[in-house]
Amino acid sequence: MSTPLRRTKSRFFNKDKARDPATLASVAAFTAWRLGLATIGQMRTAQFEIEAGPQYFDVLREYLVFLVQVADRLALARLSLPERRQFTVSMVKRLAELVAENESRLLAEDDRPIRRQFIDLYNSRADDYAQLDFGEGVGQDVAFMRLASVALTRAVAPQDRAWVADQVMSFEAPTAVRTLRKVIDDLVGTAGSIVAPADDEADGPFPEMPGVDAPVDDPIPPE
């Protein structure tokens, strides 16, 4: 499948300019998109049968949801609650657009239900990820990786299911988490300042919540 990749930047050269969380989320979304495509390519190289069709996008969606959950936890440790709220919602919506654009072009389908499907999948996985701890130390993201591998087991071909956990947890996910952490650290560290919307103007589903290490659980509403 031919899918265009766009070069993205994770550092801003004008450090005096304020950035809003949606701008940071756009870069994080493109990073996650590239990581998702690269992971599927590497799994194919490892002899996983992932055909260029509906199954391809089933695998891609699950992996992208995992990456958004990782990015959300990283944002929690680096941004205020209103900033994190806008960041995560913007990232989900941007990835939904990318999935819909590419899947509709390949499979000749309407992009609107595809976009909604991705948001629905993200919302459906939120409670599962909310129960897991995610830390910055080595090995503290294993629970996230394990949950992602379980979700991917349902998407890959039956003959590949026995090998998904090892492939994801040993090879794909650790590299992706390190990459996302570096990108988000670079984005936050070189943004100058970050401007979040007022609470009553925030775009998205997230209510006020206690300062705990868990994603918010209100769903992203239909557009």
Side-chain angles (χ1 to χ4, degrees), residues 121-134:
L121 179 64
Y122 173 82
N123 288 333
S124 72
R125 296 286 182 258
D127 287 343
D128 294 332
Y129 280 99
Q131 299 175 38
L132 305 177
D133 293 328
F134 182 91

Side-chain angles (χ1 to χ4, degrees), residues 9-217:
K9 62 180 180 180
S10 62
R11 294 178 181 271
F12 296 116
F13 293 104
N14 184 356
K15 295 185 179 181
D16 295 327
K17 185 175 180 180
R19 308 286 174 175
D20 65 275
T23 300
L24 309 186
S26 178
V27 179
F30 277 117
T31 300
W33 178 255
R34 293 171 67 93
L35 287 168
L37 298 180
T39 289
I40 291 180
Q42 287 153 193
M43 290 178 72
R44 282 172 155 178
T45 299
Q47 304 305 310
F48 284 80
E49 294 186 19
I50 303 176
E51 299 298 330
Q55 185 206 24
Y56 183 102
F57 289 100
D58 288 344
V59 174
L60 181 60
R61 274 190 291 269
E62 287 289 1
Y63 198 70
L64 291 177
V65 165
F66 158 68
L67 294 177
V68 175
Q69 294 287 350
V70 170
D72 175 69
R73 296 299 183 93
L74 294 170
L76 174 63
R78 292 157 176 78
L79 303 175
S80 69
L81 180 59
E83 293 164 354
R84 177 247 191 145
R85 178 187 302 128
Q86 189 189 31
F87 172 88
T88 302
V89 176
S90 297
M91 186 175 179
V92 171
K93 289 183 175 180
R94 184 67 188 114
L95 284 170
E97 291 171 357
L98 287 168
V99 171
E101 175 187 348
N102 285 270
E103 186 171 354
S104 64
R105 185 170 65 240
L106 178 69
L107 304 182
E109 297 180 356
D110 184 357
D111 65 338
R112 288 171 294 181
I114 297 171
R115 185 165 55 248
R116 182 68 247 171
Q117 182 183 16
F118 181 80
I119 294 174
D120 287 345
L121 179 64
Y122 173 82
N123 288 333
S124 72
R125 296 286 182 258
D127 287 343
D128 294 332
Y129 280 99
Q131 299 175 38
L132 305 177
D133 293 328
F134 182 91
E136 299 283 344
V138 176
Q140 293 184 18
D141 45 19
V142 169
F144 263 47
M145 297 180 192
R146 184 177 295 111
L147 181 56
S149 68
V150 170
L152 286 166
T153 297
R154 306 184 188 105
V156 300
Q159 65 270 23
D160 292 331
R161 289 172 184 168
W163 315 107
V164 168
D166 185 59
Q167 181 72 20
V168 171
M169 296 180 66
S170 298
F171 301 104
E172 311 302 340
T175 300
V177 171
R178 287 194 298 270
T179 300
L180 269 180
R181 181 179 286 114
K182 183 178 187 305
V183 166
I184 291 175
D185 279 342
D186 287 347
L187 288 171
V188 174
T190 61
S193 61
I194 300 173
V195 178
D199 285 346
D200 60 354
E201 298 177 356
D203 174 22
F206 302 142
E208 293 298 325
M209 59 177 289
V212 296
D213 182 21
V216 291
D217 55 10

